[in-house]
């Protein structure tokens, strides 16, 4: 029996052409893919630091960070997105992927970048080794107090984990993560 959820997943996968493009990558292709992700990381961080100068010190002093470039498509009632990124901590780089499925009325294409900041090594380790799933929708701004101005423009998503979302030329006011999964890219690690 085909359920509404299965239909949504199939439509979303078709909308993005969700195939594992890394399945038969040569070592040369893997090296290029890693270099492209590394370059993207530098561009995303530079953009964040330009928009939110205090974020540079926050990222540098954190136990680790992760950057992702995401692309999403929404067609009528179904949407999906995918992206790639890298998590960095203690000099180690772990290449990752993300996939998103969403439901609700809409049409359009969205490209955005994410910078995850981890206050402690255990939060980074959990993100890298257990993946991360976001469901629902959240909207918030960093509060003053315990973390002070350091996280201005970031949203606390769990204890020790902060998230900046960049869209266009600025920080996004709202974070929407509808059925988003982050996981290791086994082909690049």
């Amino acid at each position: 029996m085909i359920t509404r959820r299965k239909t949504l997943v199939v439509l979303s996968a078709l909308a993005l052409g969700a195939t594992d493009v890394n399945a038969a990558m040569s070592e040369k292709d893997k090296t290029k893919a890693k270099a492209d992700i590394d370059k993207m990381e530098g561009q995303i961080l530079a953009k964040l630091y330009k928009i939110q100068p205090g974020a540079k010190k926050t990222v540098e002093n954190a136990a680790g960070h992760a950057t992702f470039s995401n692309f999403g498509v929404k067609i009528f009632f179904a949407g999906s997105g995918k992206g790639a990124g890298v998590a960095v901590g203690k000099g180690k780089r772990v290449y990752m992927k993300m996939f998103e499925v969403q439901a609700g009325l809409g049409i359009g294409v969205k490209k955005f970048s994410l910078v995850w900041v981890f206050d402690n090594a255990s939060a980074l380790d959990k993100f890298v080794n257990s993946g991360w799933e976001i469901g629902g929708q959240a909207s918030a701004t960093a509060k003053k107090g315990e973390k002070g101005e350091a996280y201005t423009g970031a949203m606390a998503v769990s204890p020790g984990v902060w998230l900046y979302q960049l869209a266009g030329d600025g920080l996004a006011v709202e974070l929407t993560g509808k059925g988003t999964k982050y996981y290791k890219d086994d082909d690049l690690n």
Side-chain angles (χ1 to χ4, degrees), residues 63-86:
H65 70 276
T67 56
F68 285 86
S69 179
N70 304 314
F71 177 80
V73 176
K74 182 110 182 208
I75 302 171
F76 302 113
F77 295 101
S80 66
K82 65 180 180 177
V86 61

Side-chain angles (χ1 to χ4, degrees), residues 4-149:
R4 185 178 221 190
R5 182 179 169 106
K6 287 179 184 175
T7 302
L8 175 63
V9 171
V10 170
L11 286 173
S12 297
L14 290 173
L16 281 177
T19 59
D20 189 358
V21 296
N22 294 335
M25 290 182 83
S26 68
E27 285 304 314
K28 182 178 177 182
D29 290 339
K30 289 178 185 180
T31 300
K32 182 177 179 344
K34 287 180 181 182
D36 289 345
I37 292 170
D38 293 345
K39 180 179 177 183
M40 176 254 338
E41 175 199 20
Q43 292 169 339
I44 290 171
L45 290 174
K47 182 177 178 181
L48 174 62
Y49 301 158
K50 182 178 179 184
I51 296 166
Q52 193 67 39
K56 183 171 185 173
K57 186 175 182 181
T58 301
V59 171
E60 289 173 349
N61 292 330
H65 70 276
T67 56
F68 285 86
S69 179
N70 304 314
F71 177 80
V73 176
K74 182 110 182 208
I75 302 171
F76 302 113
F77 295 101
S80 66
K82 65 180 180 177
V86 61
V88 180
K90 296 182 184 174
K92 184 177 178 187
R93 304 177 72 75
V94 178
Y95 296 91
M96 300 183 72
K97 294 181 182 182
M98 65 78 57
F99 183 75
E100 173 185 69
V101 177
Q102 56 180 282
L105 187 60
I107 188 164
V109 175
K110 181 178 179 183
K111 184 176 182 184
F112 59 97
S113 303
L114 300 172
V115 178
W116 295 79
V117 180
F118 304 95
D119 283 346
N120 57 66
S122 65
L124 174 62
D125 183 65
K126 183 178 178 182
F127 180 83
V128 168
N129 293 308
S130 300
W132 194 278
E133 294 183 37
I134 299 176
Q137 178 175 323
S139 179
T141 57
K143 60 183 178 181
K144 295 184 186 269
E146 188 178 318
K147 291 295 173 188
E149 293 292 324

